[in-house]
Amino acid sequence: MSFLGFTVLSRTETSPLALLAVPLVTVVLSIITMVVMFSALGADPGVVLYSFFIEPLSSSYNLGEVLIKASPLILIAQGLAIGFRARVWNIGAEGQLIIGAICASLLPIFWSDSESAWMLPGMIVVGALAGMAWAGIAAYLKASFNASEIIVTLMLTEIAKQVLYYLLTGPLRDPSGYNFPQSVMFPDAGLYPTFGGDGVRANLSVIITLVVTIGCWIFVTRSFAAFRLMVGGVASDAARYAGFSQRRAIWMSLLIGGAAAGLAGVGEIAGPIGKLQPILSPGYGYAAIIVAFLGGLHPVGIFFAGLFMALVYVGGDIALVSAGIPASAPVVFQGLLLVFYLASYFFVRHEVRRVPQDTRLRGAA
Amino acid sequence: MLMASGSTPVPGVPSASLLRLENISKNYGSLVANDKVNIDIRPGEIHAVLGENGAGKSTLMKMIFGVTQPNAGTIYWKGQPTEITSPARARALGIGMVFQHFSLFETITVAENISFTVPGDIRELSQRIRAASEAFGLAVEPDALVYKLSVGERQRVELVRCLLQEPSLLILDEPTSVLTPQAVEKLFVTLRMLSDRGIAILYISHKLEEIRALCHSATILRHGQVTGQVDPREETSHSLAKMMVGRDIPRSAHAEARPDGKVALRVSGLSTRERDPHAVNLQAVNLEVRHGEILGIAGVSGNGQQALSRYLSGEETLPVARRGEIEILGDAVGHLGPAERRRQGLSFIPEERLGRGAAPGLSLTDNMLLTAHRLGMVSRGFIRKRVRDDHAERCIREMDVRCGGSGANASSLSGGNLQKFIVGREMMLRPKVMVVAQPTWGIDIGAAAMVRQKLIALRDEGVSILLISEELEELFEISDRMAVMFEGRMSQPVRTRATTPERIGQMMVGLFEASDEMAAEAAQ
């Protein structure tokens, strides 16, 4: 593999420092590129930077927005990262989020005047189980027929969306909602309590995310189950030799990821949205994949990467107004993050060298 | 690029040196691979380069073949100072090399493979291949597909490919590691013939007997330095080994086994169908290992040993209905995975140390956890780090593993040290049955001697050991009985003390009657 006199070789060793540098380099390069791009569109770079990274932190309302966006991102990413460490690629967290939200919403929709204190816990359990079940389909197909979990989870997301649309235009539609495709508003018993002052929308899901993060941190650093998953990811032959079951790794990875995504779905409908509607997430399930990798698949790293990504979501909305940049800005930025992440990771693992002039076909043998 | 006109040896001037290395040094960072090495090779000379793994043999050959360049010193080719900048340049000068790992495409024919490096159309090339194979006694069929060829045949293809380029120096890297004793003899005939025609041969090996039988001169390397330049025909294996290692090597004591007759590991009628169509299927393999004995499985690798070890370890399992084909201590275990079989008292040391026996990128402590976790290292699903670390440190101490502590990355250890760690870990499991595959493959003599002694010590404690190895010397040194695998079949076992390497060699090419005769002799 050589090109214009250069060739790419695998590095034999990767320094821990280089691995730490990957997210930093990724973020810096993405910000620079974004500023250059939006400046070329006529925006003032200072205003873009300010509205992306300072303004979201400047008021308690904005801070609350950052938190409720960071919460699902971190939650999903923690679940996905456990699977990714085992090289089980669940790409369909978005669909698991949707199914989790749908199933959890059945409780407040059918008991729409309930005041039961069991409503919220019920929704949380149902949402997590439903997310698990949806991911479980992919786990079953992978474990039994070796069907690629990447494709299955991705396609299941599309199916989940259609299920949501069907339910909202039919069985679950609010009868007095002027035919809008949405459910009844949830009763207060079906909503996460908010905190942080008047008008701030930060809610219980932030606490849940914190608890899950700590739980994941303990699980990943201390438990034997996480060790087995990790060995399966870094050295599958060694895992096989040790007798760590690959099927079990597939099931566990997908079920944990599905549960986390389902829980995030509950956080959306029981949080800022307060009902079931066609758009439940601005792509949290996909953005969480970037968050997981940006955080180095480590619970603490994911926590900060999730906050950063949420900042970009909220900042993007603000910059839309104040700097006049396109509405797609946050998605573009996510794309930049992913591309730069992959590129910097590639160069941590590989190096580029000049090919000696007269080396021929079998030269390197 | 391919052929320089002056590449044929000049007869009549045998005294002039063909290749001379003067004070060649090579270092990688702080690691000195070669330190002021001097070698002089004349046309027609068979010159051995002898040394342990890591002594700098490969680096030296890479510099001669142009894969890498020296940091200091001069290479003289036919008296002229020469820079060998690439393998293409080396070939143009008339240097050919046969690597230990072959570079042949399996799905095309021999002639097509050779046509990549030797110009000319296939038909004409095929005739040249036939001519060369007759001239040098290297039976090679140009139209054969490579994947159907045995390892020995593939090596002959590589040799013919080199010879068609009319080299004046041929480098052979551990050429006999894949051959049966008989095939080794044939190879030597060819090499002597080449030598008579004036082709010089650089012969890299760590097998002392072969070097004494074949080579005219030998350079011995240790830690990158030349520790001796001798005529191997006038040395003993012992004196050569001492120069190579720098100290005396104890031979493993080989007391008579005292098996009590009870069978610890039994395989009966195990046949398999591998998914890979080119892999060897096991055909009704039977074997029994008794308490307190070492049963050696000889055979050229690629005759089903890998499948056998995977089925024994549990990495491959049998359907429940056939579980009785493998028994450990009388229990049918064919359907159980590796973890369950370990619980039954089996432990297994695989031939791939890094990647299978140990996970690269993980610390030795984590690699201790890999199989030894049931020694109290896990409680209620959580890892007890102190217990784990204690075991790792004890293993490092008891097995004399040279490493940067228990936190060292498994990939940072040399093959020998990693193998000592793995053997120590599996011994800690207090197994009743141990399956060991190629335990000393590619590791230094010191570590190999230690591993063999540990195996004998285990045997004396009553552990049943199945030793799969392609090193005949090793099998004769420590096994009590031996069987041979050939094309997925297993011979009748014979008592090691009642057989000879020649007989085992015949069995290694499928002449199992040799063992039956012996079994009959033994019965009389």
Side-chain angles (χ1 to χ4, degrees):
Chain A
M1 185 162 86
S2 73
F3 182 66
L4 294 179
F6 289 93
T7 185
V8 174
L9 300 171
S10 297
R11 285 184 205 269
T12 43
E13 278 185 37
T14 311
S15 76
L17 208 67
L19 285 176
L20 201 69
V22 167
L24 294 176
V25 169
T26 302
V27 167
V28 170
L29 286 179
S30 304
I31 291 175
I32 293 173
T33 313
M34 179 184 70
V35 169
V36 169
M37 264 169 53
F38 294 142
S39 303
L41 288 175
D44 179 346
V47 177
V48 172
L49 279 178
Y50 182 81
S51 34
F52 253 95
F53 299 110
I54 308 294
E55 218 173 322
L57 306 173
S58 59
S59 72
S60 56
Y61 174 80
N62 282 348
L63 216 54
E65 290 303 292
V66 172
L67 288 180
I68 56 169
K69 288 203 155 55
S71 169
L73 286 172
I74 296 173
L75 201 54
I76 300 171
Q78 298 288 16
L80 293 183
I82 288 172
F84 290 168
R85 283 158 63 98
R87 307 239 163 152
V88 176
W89 306 114
N90 177 2
I91 307 298
E94 188 78 2
Q96 293 139 30
L97 179 151
I98 292 170
I99 295 295
I102 291 174
C103 295
S105 74
L106 296 177
L107 298 179
I109 290 173
F110 284 117
W111 288 283
S112 58
D113 46 8
S114 159
E115 289 174 14
S116 166
W118 293 103
M119 176 71 86
L120 260 185
M123 288 168 70
I124 291 173
V125 170
V126 170
L129 287 178
M132 275 168 104
W134 202 246
I137 298 173
Y140 174 75
L141 294 175
K142 169 86 175 176
S144 308
F145 306 107
N146 201 21
S148 161
E149 75 279 20
I150 299 177
I151 293 173
V152 173
T153 52
L154 204 58
M155 293 198 302
L156 280 172
T157 299
E158 293 310 309
I159 296 172
K161 280 186 196 161
Q162 300 309 320
V163 171
L164 177 66
Y165 299 155
Y166 164 74
L167 292 173
L168 285 176
T169 50
L172 296 184
R173 183 171 53 190
D174 181 1
S176 53
Y178 307 103
N179 266 350
F180 278 109
Q182 59 188 34
S183 76
V184 293
M185 292 299 291
F186 293 173
D188 281 350
L191 294 176
Y192 282 158
T194 61
F195 61 82
D198 243 9
V200 179
R201 300 200 295 169
N203 61 35
L204 185 67
S205 85
V206 176
I207 309 292
I208 293 179
T209 300
L210 266 178
V211 171
V212 168
T213 297
I214 293 170
C216 280
W217 183 62
I218 294 174
F219 178 75
V220 165
T221 54
R222 297 287 166 88
S223 80
F224 188 52
F227 174 78
R228 288 197 303 252
L229 288 175
M230 187 263 293
V231 174
V234 298
S236 54
D237 280 347
R240 202 180 157 110
Y241 160 73
F244 302 160
S245 156
Q246 172 70 13
R247 294 160 79 92
R248 204 165 140 181
I250 291 166
W251 276 101
M252 224 168 141
S253 299
L254 280 160
L255 292 186
I256 290 174
L263 207 53
V266 178
E268 290 310 291
I269 52 159
I273 301 177
K275 60 185 182 236
L276 200 62
Q277 64 177 33
I279 303 292
L280 293 173
S281 127
Y284 289 141
Y286 299 115
I289 298 170
I290 304 174
V291 170
F293 280 107
L294 209 54
L297 302 184
H298 189 280
V300 177
I302 288 168
F303 183 77
F304 288 106
L307 285 175
F308 177 77
M309 188 64 97
L311 199 66
V312 172
Y313 269 111
V314 177
D317 283 347
I318 296 169
L320 200 63
V321 181
S322 55
I325 59 167
S328 52
V331 183
V332 169
F333 190 72
Q334 282 175 22
L336 289 174
L337 281 174
L338 191 60
V339 169
F340 282 119
Y341 175 83
L342 292 173
S344 22
Y345 195 73
F346 180 82
F347 285 111
V348 164
R349 287 294 159 102
H350 299 82
E351 58 186 329
V352 176
R353 276 217 207 135
R354 264 200 103 82
V355 188
Q357 301 266 306
D358 48 357
T359 304
R360 302 288 286 263
L361 188 64
R362 292 180 59 242
Chain B
M1 94 178 205
L2 283 161
M3 261 175 285
S5 51
S7 65
T8 39
V10 189
V13 241
S15 53
S17 86
L18 176 68
L19 173 78
R20 190 155 64 85
L21 306 184
E22 195 176 275
N23 290 327
I24 292 289
S25 296
K26 174 75 182 177
N27 56 289
Y28 296 100
S30 62
L31 180 81
V32 181
N34 284 138
D35 186 12
K36 294 194 183 129
V37 173
N38 291 293
I39 293 182
D40 196 340
I41 300 162
R42 283 147 210 279
E45 176 180 339
I46 304 183
H47 189 107
V49 175
L50 188 60
E52 288 195 80
N53 279 43
K57 290 175 297 185
S58 304
T59 308
L60 196 61
M61 293 314 121
K62 279 183 186 165
M63 286 190 286
I64 297 173
F65 198 56
V67 178
T68 181
Q69 275 71 47
N71 297 116
T74 319
I75 300 177
Y76 294 89
W77 179 252
K78 295 177 179 163
Q80 301 297 315
T82 308
E83 281 189 33
I84 306 176
T85 48
S86 68
R89 174 91 184 116
R91 279 193 289 269
L93 288 170
I95 302 174
M97 179 155 181
V98 176
F99 288 90
Q100 198 173 356
H101 302 283
F102 305 144
S103 42
L104 296 172
F105 293 99
E106 300 214 333
T107 49
I108 57 178
T109 66
V110 169
E112 283 164 339
N113 263 291
I114 291 178
S115 72
F116 288 123
T117 41
V118 181
D121 78 17
I122 298 279
R123 286 237 322 272
E124 184 230 3
L125 197 58
S126 300
Q127 290 190 340
R128 287 181 60 198
I129 293 169
R130 280 206 186 87
S133 71
E134 265 171 43
F136 300 111
L138 294 162
V140 164
E141 178 49 55
D143 302 328
L145 288 164
V146 169
Y147 78 85
K148 288 183 177 162
L149 302 184
S150 72
V151 191
E153 287 170 314
R154 287 176 202 212
Q155 186 180 51
R156 294 203 284 273
V157 174
E158 290 267 3
L159 260 173
V160 166
R161 173 158 77 181
C162 267
L163 293 174
L164 284 180
Q165 298 177 51
E166 298 173 32
S168 30
L169 174 68
L170 195 59
I171 307 175
L172 302 174
D173 187 4
E174 301 272 1
T176 59
S177 61
V178 292
L179 300 181
T180 62
Q182 284 79 6
V184 169
E185 267 314 311
K186 270 195 207 159
L187 176 70
F188 283 5
V189 170
T190 301
L191 294 183
R192 290 192 187 104
M193 198 189 298
L194 293 175
S195 157
D196 290 342
R197 297 186 183 203
I199 298 178
I201 295 169
L202 255 178
Y203 187 89
I204 308 167
S205 181
H206 65 272
K207 294 188 178 168
L208 308 169
E209 291 298 338
E210 288 177 2
I211 285 171
R212 291 183 53 223
L214 177 72
C215 300
H216 307 129
S217 53
T219 296
I220 296 132
L221 286 179
R222 187 168 78 229
H223 304 313
Q225 290 174 324
V226 175
T227 54
Q229 285 188 311
V230 296
D231 183 341
R233 292 166 294 191
E234 291 169 4
E235 300 285 328
T236 63
S237 291
H238 189 80
S239 65
L240 287 174
K242 210 171 157 186
M243 274 185 265
M244 199 160 124
V245 190
R247 61 193 148 84
D248 271 325
I249 294 301
R251 262 183 92 77
S252 302
H254 183 222
E256 190 83 50
R258 292 185 303 273
D260 62 9
K262 271 188 243 158
V263 173
L265 174 68
R266 175 181 279 129
V267 175
S268 28
L270 177 64
S271 298
T272 64
R273 186 171 296 158
E274 301 296 314
R275 258 161 276 158
D276 175 359
H278 298 169
V280 176
N281 293 319
L282 297 182
Q283 293 172 29
V285 166
N286 293 307
L287 63 87
E288 287 182 351
V289 192
R290 297 184 213 126
H291 281 292
E293 74 161 353
I294 299 179
L295 175 66
I297 306 292
V300 176
S301 72
N303 275 299
Q305 292 96 328
Q306 293 183 345
L308 179 67
S309 73
R310 283 179 185 279
Y311 277 95
L312 288 178
S313 71
E315 286 158 292
E316 295 282 352
T317 51
L318 294 171
V320 177
R322 289 173 54 198
R323 64 182 182 275
E325 290 176 20
I326 302 173
E327 285 176 32
I328 294 174
L329 303 170
D331 292 328
V333 298
H335 60 304
L336 299 177
E340 287 104 339
R341 290 194 200 180
R342 240 172 243 126
R343 232 167 278 141
Q344 301 267 347
L346 174 85
S347 82
F348 170 55
I349 296 171
E351 64 260 43
E352 298 107 337
R353 291 180 272 277
L354 201 58
R356 192 156 153 219
L362 298 188
S363 65
L364 291 183
T365 48
D366 276 342
N367 273 302
M368 176 52 69
L369 196 57
L370 193 66
T371 60
H373 49 81
R374 62 188 172 80
L375 301 175
M377 294 180 204
V378 178
S379 151
R380 294 180 191 172
F382 286 97
I383 298 166
R384 292 166 71 191
K385 297 194 174 179
R386 211 173 47 87
V387 181
R388 176 195 68 185
D389 297 353
D390 285 351
H391 276 87
E393 267 148 34
R394 212 180 87 207
C395 178
I396 289 168
R397 210 170 44 239
E398 287 176 2
M399 296 299 291
D400 188 27
V401 178
R402 313 271 165 82
C403 63
S406 60
N409 193 318
S411 12
S412 73
L413 271 67
S414 73
N417 280 308
L418 188 60
Q419 183 71 329
K420 287 196 279 186
F421 180 81
I422 293 171
V423 170
R425 180 186 69 196
E426 298 307 308
M427 278 168 58
M428 277 180 164
L429 292 171
R430 306 227 132 266
K432 307 221 170 49
V433 180
M434 204 170 205
V435 176
V436 188
Q438 318 290 2
T440 59
W441 182 71
I443 71 179
D444 58 90
I445 295 189
M450 178 174 188
V451 167
R452 288 180 195 141
Q453 276 163 358
K454 291 282 176 190
L455 291 179
I456 290 181
L458 275 178
R459 179 202 77 167
D460 291 343
E461 287 169 23
V463 178
S464 317
I465 298 174
L466 183 78
L467 170 64
I468 302 171
S469 177
E470 52 180 26
E471 296 259 2
L472 268 189
E473 280 182 36
E474 170 169 279
L475 291 166
F476 273 95
E477 188 176 330
I478 67 172
S479 67
D480 300 302
R481 291 188 303 145
M482 280 164 84
V484 177
M485 275 199 97
F486 178 74
E487 290 183 350
R489 292 180 296 132
M490 180 77 75
S491 76
Q492 286 294 318
V494 293
R495 276 184 59 231
T496 304
R497 278 160 195 246
T499 187
T500 60
E502 288 67 35
R503 285 201 164 160
I504 297 291
Q506 286 179 328
M507 287 156 74
M508 281 163 75
V509 293
L511 300 170
F512 283 180
E513 299 74 30
S515 77
D516 297 342
E517 282 167 26
M518 283 173 42
E521 277 171 34
Q524 281 168 8

